[in-house]
Amino acid sequence: MREFDIIVYGATGFTGRLVAEYLGARDHGVTWAMAGRSLSKLEAVRDDIGADVPLVTADADDPASLRALVARAKVVLTTVGPYQLYGEQLVAACAASGTAYVDLCGEPAWMRHMIDAHDAQAKLSGARIVFSGGFDSIPFDLGVWTLQQAAIARFGKPFPRVKGRVIAMKGTFSGGTFASARATMAAAAKDPSVFKLMIDPFALTPGFSGPPQPKGLLPEYDDALGAWTAPFVMAAINTKNVHRTNALLGHPYGKDFVYDEMMVAPGLGEIGKAAAEAIAKFNPIGGDKGPAPGEGPSREERESGHYEIAFLGEMPSGERLRATVTGDRDPGYGSTSKMIAETAICLVKDVAGDGGIWTPGALMAAPLVERLKANAGLTFAVT
């Protein structure tokens, strides 16, 4: 028995506060608390959002405080990143104590390090460790799962080839995403093995390496969509999570599964080609611009954001299906905060499962899809 169902660690940060607001807005049937380094900042957030919940102090640099925190919760939801700088001790504490864990991590080299270091212990303790519980990579992970479930139901087998295509996206990447990307680049500069993991599509499936995958680094014309496509900056993490889901589930998509992600460029013909080439040259998380951790868009900007992602499957014999996933808020903040909150609630209420380091798609795809449709403003449709 634990004191709380969920502890939101990092509740004084921008995204953590949005998660706390979401949990406090209505009765989700769970007990929860807010945690962070500063009691006074936690008190200020609690007063601002009007949530009468307990507060817990803990510091990423104090392993004893983290062990005390995880001992009080069934699930720890953490928004404290970059995870490669602040996350390992919390993962270790959860793996040792049997406490479930969910984060927003999009740092594949660190995730692989955590798998190697803590997966065995999590399996022993029963701790369900879930990475990438936000825009990277839930819509992509569950979008592929939705399409493949439909293929198996209709054709008796999965698609060996699936394309993920971002049709529309309004919003910005979070300050945490910028900070994580910079931390990863710094780590790669010091350690070439980090770069090797970044470019390996099967970096998160230790012991298994599938067929060559599309690079997705150059603009190309997509006949299935009748549009030009450009590289998608989050493909490097999403594709790895999709392959990990397939591996953890025993390869229901097949061991020869091929998957890539790109974004559709606006415009037709030469205009679309020029737009795709411009997108390919632009690095949205490079340079010094972008929000700092703890900063983010206004409520109006979050609520006016949205996204639409298509997943296109084709059999060698020509049969096709398309799954579409949409979200009703900006991807980096509004939608992400709802997705990770519902993932934590799903861990508490809907799934048991064995311990280990999981993806959302491998551990809880079906119940999480239903939760996201019912509560978080996402849609999943197959045509």
Side-chain angles (χ1 to χ4, degrees):
M1 297 297 293
R2 302 291 177 98
E3 187 177 354
F4 305 109
D5 291 325
I6 299 168
I7 293 180
V8 180
Y9 180 54
T12 59
F14 195 93
T15 305
R17 177 186 172 123
L18 294 178
V19 173
E21 287 182 358
Y22 181 80
L23 291 175
R26 65 180 177 86
D27 183 7
H28 296 272
V30 295
T31 58
W32 64 286
M34 298 191 300
R37 289 183 299 174
S38 168
L39 181 60
S40 62
K41 290 182 179 180
L42 287 168
E43 290 171 339
V45 170
R46 181 173 64 180
D47 292 344
D48 286 345
I49 68 175
D52 185 18
V53 296
L55 307 176
V56 180
T57 57
D59 192 322
D61 293 327
D62 181 359
S65 72
L66 297 179
R67 290 193 295 271
L69 180 150
V70 305
R72 301 175 69 181
K74 293 180 181 176
V75 179
V76 172
L77 181 165
T78 175
T79 61
V80 180
Y83 296 97
Q84 61 196 280
L85 301 181
Y86 306 114
E88 180 165 7
Q89 293 300 325
L90 184 58
V91 171
C94 287
S97 68
T99 302
Y101 165 107
V102 60
D103 68 18
L104 298 172
C105 189
E107 305 164 43
W110 179 81
M111 292 161 63
R112 173 57 185 269
H113 176 56
M114 293 300 96
I115 292 167
D116 292 342
H118 301 295
D119 185 51
Q121 178 61 52
K123 288 176 178 176
L124 287 174
S125 71
R128 297 161 298 158
I129 309 294
V130 180
F131 295 143
S132 305
F135 186 65
D136 50 341
S137 300
I138 280 178
F140 304 90
D141 190 11
L142 299 187
V144 173
W145 178 86
T146 297
L147 180 68
Q148 295 288 40
Q149 291 295 111
I152 292 168
R154 188 168 304 187
F155 308 123
K157 56 186 177 181
F159 289 114
R161 172 76 170 102
V162 172
K163 299 177 180 180
R165 297 294 183 261
V166 179
I167 304 297
M169 186 170 68
K170 181 183 179 183
T172 184
F173 296 102
S174 71
T177 296
F178 279 89
S180 294
R182 290 171 185 151
T184 297
M185 288 186 286
K190 295 179 181 179
D191 183 357
S193 68
V194 171
F195 180 74
K196 184 177 179 181
L197 289 172
M198 290 294 296
I199 64 173
D200 180 3
F202 298 97
L204 301 183
T205 61
F208 174 79
S209 185
Q213 303 289 310
K215 303 295 185 184
L217 298 178
L218 297 173
E220 62 182 52
Y221 187 77
D222 193 317
D223 290 322
L225 289 169
W228 279 90
T229 60
F232 179 49
V233 68
M234 296 174 65
I237 177 60
N238 295 332
T239 54
K240 292 176 177 59
N241 276 320
V242 168
H243 286 300
R244 180 163 174 79
T245 290
N246 187 33
L248 289 172
L249 292 176
H251 296 100
Y253 311 160
K255 291 188 176 182
D256 59 348
F257 179 61
V258 175
Y259 175 69
D260 74 320
E261 292 176 2
M262 299 190 79
M263 62 187 302
V264 175
L268 301 175
E270 290 301 313
I271 295 175
K273 181 180 180 181
E277 290 172 345
I279 292 170
K281 295 176 182 177
F282 175 64
N283 181 359
I285 57 176
D288 296 326
K289 295 183 179 180
E295 297 178 354
S298 67
R299 181 178 296 276
E300 181 180 359
E301 289 170 327
R302 297 195 304 271
E303 293 182 353
S304 67
H306 58 83
Y307 54 88
E308 177 183 346
I309 310 159
F311 300 90
L312 311 171
E314 182 174 359
M315 295 292 184
S317 50
E319 297 94 339
R320 296 180 178 181
L321 286 176
R322 173 173 175 158
T324 302
V325 178
T326 68
D328 69 345
R329 295 289 188 272
D330 78 296
Y333 296 94
S335 190
T336 279
S337 58
K338 294 191 291 184
M339 283 189 278
I340 192 172
E342 288 296 338
T343 302
I345 296 169
C346 196
L347 281 166
V348 172
K349 302 184 73 172
D350 300 332
V351 295
D354 296 328
I357 296 183
W358 293 92
T359 60
L363 182 62
M364 60 184 107
L368 185 55
V369 164
E370 294 308 311
R371 280 200 163 276
L372 297 175
K373 289 163 56 178
N375 304 319
L378 273 72
T379 69
F380 294 79
V382 177
T383 54

